[in-house]
Amino acid sequence: MDKNEKLLIRPYLRTRSLVPENQESPIEFMNTPSIPEEYFYKRNHFPYPEIQKNAFELSIEGEVQRPMVFSLQDLLSLPSKEIAMVMECAGNKRAFFEPKVFGEQWEMGAMSQGVWKGVSLAELLKYTGVTYRVREVVFEGHDYGYRNDLNGEYRFARSLPIDKAIHPDTIIAYEYNGKPIPFKHGYPIRLIVPQWYGMASVKWLRKITLIANTFNGPFQAIDYMYYPFKDNDIGKTPVTRINVNSTILQPHDLAQLDTGIHTVFGIAWTGMGTISEVEVSLDQGVTWEKTQLYQDLNSMYGWTYWSYKWYAEKKGEYVLMARAKDTYGRMQPSNAFWNRKGYGFNAISSVRVKIE
Amino acid sequence: MDKNEKLLIRPYLRTRSLVPENQESPIEFMNTPSIPEEYFYKRNHFPYPEIQKNAFELSIEGEVQRPMVFSLQDLLSLPSKEIAMVMECAGNKRAFFEPKVFGEQWEMGAMSQGVWKGVSLAELLKYTGVTYRVREVVFEGHDYGYRNDLNGEYRFARSLPIDKAIHPDTIIAYEYNGKPIPFKHGYPIRLIVPQWYGMASVKWLRKITLIANTFNGPFQAIDYMYYPFKDNDIGKTPVTRINVNSTILQPHDLAQLDTGIHTVFGIAWTGMGTISEVEVSLDQGVTWEKTQLYQDLNSMYGWTYWSYKWYAEKKGEYVLMARAKDTYGRMQPSNAFWNRKGYGFNAISSVRVKIE
C-alpha cells in the first residue's frame, strides 16, 4: 500500500437498502459538474434484471404505422445528441417530511447530474410513424418482481404524454459521461427525460408502446402520485416535473465553526426553465440576500451553483436558510407540500450552525 | 468487467466529514462478528499525522522508576494478548438527541467491533516500574492541529486512572483482525481500552506519561465531558464507560413491509459486565417480550445478537421498541440523558414500520 492510497479520503454512496439497491450520491461530490458513474445515486424497484447483450432489441409497437424492432447497432447508427442534466428521484429529501412518511428515507443525495448521449425518441418515431389516436407512450424496462401491496409480478413501466415523449430532448440513451451506460444505470439503453423526476427515465428499456388511452400500471397509477391525505386518495395527482429546489452543501447542518468569513454554497435546480435567483436568510426568513450564481448557459437542465460570503463575527447559534426561484416564477416554499408517499420535497433549505 | 463485479452490491462507509475524516460503519455490516478493516468507523480530531515507520518509538516517562523507550520490535517480542471488543464513539447516535446538539451528526454507525492484538500496558510497566505517587496515565498520539474554541495547536491526548490503565486488558495494540493496524486506525500502535468509549483508545501512540495529578488537556477537560446544561458547565462529569445500548438492525425505520412473519433483530452491548436481556415492545413500552440472545461467551466485550419473530398479520402502522439490560442491572432509558455535547445516547431503540 503506497502512501497516497493509505491516505486517500473519499466519500461513498450512502446505503438506504441493498435489495433492491438504493444508494444516495454523497453530497460531498456535488461540487463537480458531472458525477462520476460510481457515485451516481442508485434507485431500484426490483432486483437487477438479467440482460442478454447479444439478444438485445427494442421494439416500438401499438399506435404506430409500422411496428419495428431496433437493434443496439441501429440506435448507434442514427443521429445522436447529448443531454447534460440533473436526475432527481421523486423521493429525494423524503426524510425531511414532518409528519414522517414511510418509504426509503432519502436525504439530499437521491440526485446526481451528468451527460447522457443517445437518439431522440422523435427520431425513431420518424421510422415507425404514429397514428392519429396516440395519447401516451409506455416505456417498459427489463426489471420486474413483487410489490408489497399487490399480488403477482410486475414489470417496471411508465408512460409519458405524447408531447413530452416527442420533445427532441427525450432520448433513448446508450452512453453516460462518454462511456456505455453502466449496467446498474440501465445498460445497454435507458430512457432519459429531462426536467421530470427520475422515475420517468426507465432503465434497461425493452419495449415502447404507443397507446390511445391512459396507462394504468402500478408505478403510474399507485406510486408516483401525490396523495395529499393520509387516509384517503382524494385529490391525487401525478408526479411529473421536478420542483424548484436547492441544497446547502456547505456548511453542514449542526456544524461547529470558527469566527471569521465562511463561504456558504450549494446547488439549485428546477424542472421548468432555469434558476433565476438564490437567496439566503440569516434571520429566519425575515430578510433575504442575493447569492452569486454560477450557471453553465449551455446546460439548461443542469444544476446552478451559488455562493454567499458570510462574515460570522459573533459567537452563537445561527440558522442559515436558502431558497431558489426559477424563470417561471416558482419559488421554494417555507413548508413542503406534505403527501402520503413523500414525493417532491422542496421546502426552503436550512442548516443550523454554531460559531464558537 | 465480469458479471459478478457489475452486480456486486455492497454498503459503504457513511461520510460525516472528510477533513478530519469521520465516517460511520454501515449498519448493514453489523451482522458480522468482526468488521473488516475497510468498514471500521473512522473518527478523527485532526488531519492524519505523518508517521515515520523506521523512526517509530514509544516512550514511557513521568512517575516511573526507569523511563524507557520501546521500539516496535520490543513490543512485538513481549507476551501478547487478543481483545475482541466493541469500539463505540462517545458521540454515536448523537443525531437522535432532542433538542439537537451541535457536532458530527452520527447515526448508529459510529461503532464497530473486531479483534485487537498487543501487549498489556501492565506488562510494559513491569519494566519501567511506577512511583507511589502515580494517579493517572496520559497517552499522547501523533495527531495534532487546531481547535475551533482555543488558540494554538494541540495534540490529541487522553488520560486513564491508574487502575484502568493497568487492567490486564488495556493493551498497546499492533494488530487488528490478524494484520498490522491500518494506518487510519492508528498504525503502528494504538491504545485499546475495552468498555470505555472510543476516545480513550488513543491512535498513533507516541508517548505515555505517568502523572501524580489530574490531566487537563482539552480532550479530557473540555471535550468528552457530559454537560447537563445548555448554557453553563455546572455538574459536568467525564465520559468513561460505554452505556448499555442496543440497535435494531432489521427492519429499518419507516420501512414498508408485507404481512407475514418478520424477524426483528439487532445488537446490544455495554461497558459494564455483559448483556443479560433484550426485550421488545409492540405497544409503546407497556408490555415487553424477551428476545433470543446469541452471545459468544469467549468475548465478553463484544456485542450480543438478539432476534424476535414477529407475526405481523394486520395491516397498519407499528412502532417496534427494543431495550437491553446488562449484568450490572443497567437498562436503556426511555429518554437519553441530554447533554450539551451529545455523548452517550442510549435511549430505547425504536423503528416505525408500515405493514401493507
Side-chain angles (χ1 to χ4, degrees), chain B residues 237-248:
Chain B
T237 52
V239 173
T240 60
R241 281 178 187 270
I242 292 174
N243 291 330
V244 64
N245 214 332
S246 70
T247 289
I248 299 171

Side-chain angles (χ1 to χ4, degrees), chain B residues 15-288:
Chain B
T15 308
R16 295 287 158 211
S17 79
L18 292 176
V19 182
E21 187 174 14
N22 287 321
Q23 310 223 40
E24 296 189 25
S25 276
I27 67 162
E28 293 80 2
F29 246 88
M30 289 184 187
N31 55 356
T32 54
S34 193
I35 299 268
E37 63 171 75
E38 61 269 34
Y39 291 117
F40 205 95
Y41 82 95
K42 293 172 184 158
R43 198 284 180 253
N44 291 285
H45 299 81
F46 298 119
Y48 288 107
E50 295 275 338
I51 305 289
Q52 307 297 332
K53 183 180 172 178
N54 298 330
F56 168 77
E57 44 192 36
L58 171 67
S59 70
I60 301 187
E61 53 197 67
E63 297 291 340
V64 291
Q65 294 176 350
R66 293 167 296 277
M68 287 180 70
V69 173
F70 293 86
S71 70
L72 186 52
Q73 276 311 317
D74 294 335
L75 298 179
L76 292 169
S77 69
L78 289 167
S80 67
K81 68 191 304 181
E82 293 194 346
I83 305 289
M85 66 166 214
V86 167
M87 179 152 342
E88 183 184 12
C89 174
N92 192 29
K93 303 192 180 184
R94 178 180 288 136
F96 305 133
F97 276 106
E98 289 292 345
K100 294 289 179 198
V101 296
F102 289 87
E104 293 294 3
Q105 297 298 298
W106 299 109
E107 297 183 7
M108 299 175 293
M111 61 180 292
S112 304
Q113 82 170 4
V115 181
W116 302 90
K117 182 179 172 183
V119 195
S120 295
L121 175 61
E123 184 72 27
L124 298 185
L125 295 182
K126 285 184 196 164
Y127 292 87
T128 63
V130 301
T131 73
Y132 68 91
R133 289 178 298 270
V134 63
R135 283 182 57 193
E136 292 191 355
V137 181
V138 180
F139 301 89
E140 197 177 290
H142 276 278
D143 48 331
Y144 67 94
Y146 293 99
R147 294 171 55 97
N148 284 338
D149 57 347
L150 297 174
N151 292 322
E153 288 186 310
Y154 289 85
R155 208 174 267 287
F156 187 75
R158 288 276 315 174
S159 76
L160 287 176
I162 183 67
D163 288 340
K164 184 67 180 170
I166 63 170
H167 187 289
D169 291 345
T170 297
I171 63 169
I172 314 296
Y174 45 74
E175 279 188 10
Y176 177 71
N177 284 355
K179 289 193 296 191
I181 295 177
F183 174 75
K184 289 184 173 183
H185 296 288
Y187 178 89
I189 56 165
R190 74 177 295 175
L191 186 65
I192 285 294
V193 185
Q195 300 190 315
W196 279 44
Y197 281 112
M199 75 286 160
S201 294
V202 176
K203 286 176 283 196
W204 308 292
L205 195 59
R206 68 191 289 271
K207 190 162 84 171
I208 296 176
T209 311
L210 282 67
I211 61 175
N213 47 11
T214 305
F215 180 61
N216 277 312
F219 296 97
Q220 191 88 16
I222 298 176
D223 298 337
Y224 300 113
M225 297 290 280
Y226 292 113
Y227 297 91
F229 301 104
K230 183 169 165 56
D231 296 316
N232 65 61
D233 295 355
I234 294 169
K236 71 175 182 173
T237 52
V239 173
T240 60
R241 281 178 187 270
I242 292 174
N243 291 330
V244 64
N245 214 332
S246 70
T247 289
I248 299 171
L249 297 176
Q250 230 13 292
H252 288 178
D253 191 28
L254 295 160
Q256 294 160 298
L257 304 173
D258 250 332
T259 51
I261 300 176
H262 296 285
T263 301
V264 180
F265 75 90
I267 53 175
W269 66 98
T270 179
M272 285 185 80
T274 55
I275 293 296
S276 57
E277 192 169 272
V278 179
E279 299 165 298
V280 299
S281 175
L282 281 153
D283 57 7
Q284 301 282 348
V286 178
T287 61
W288 293 87

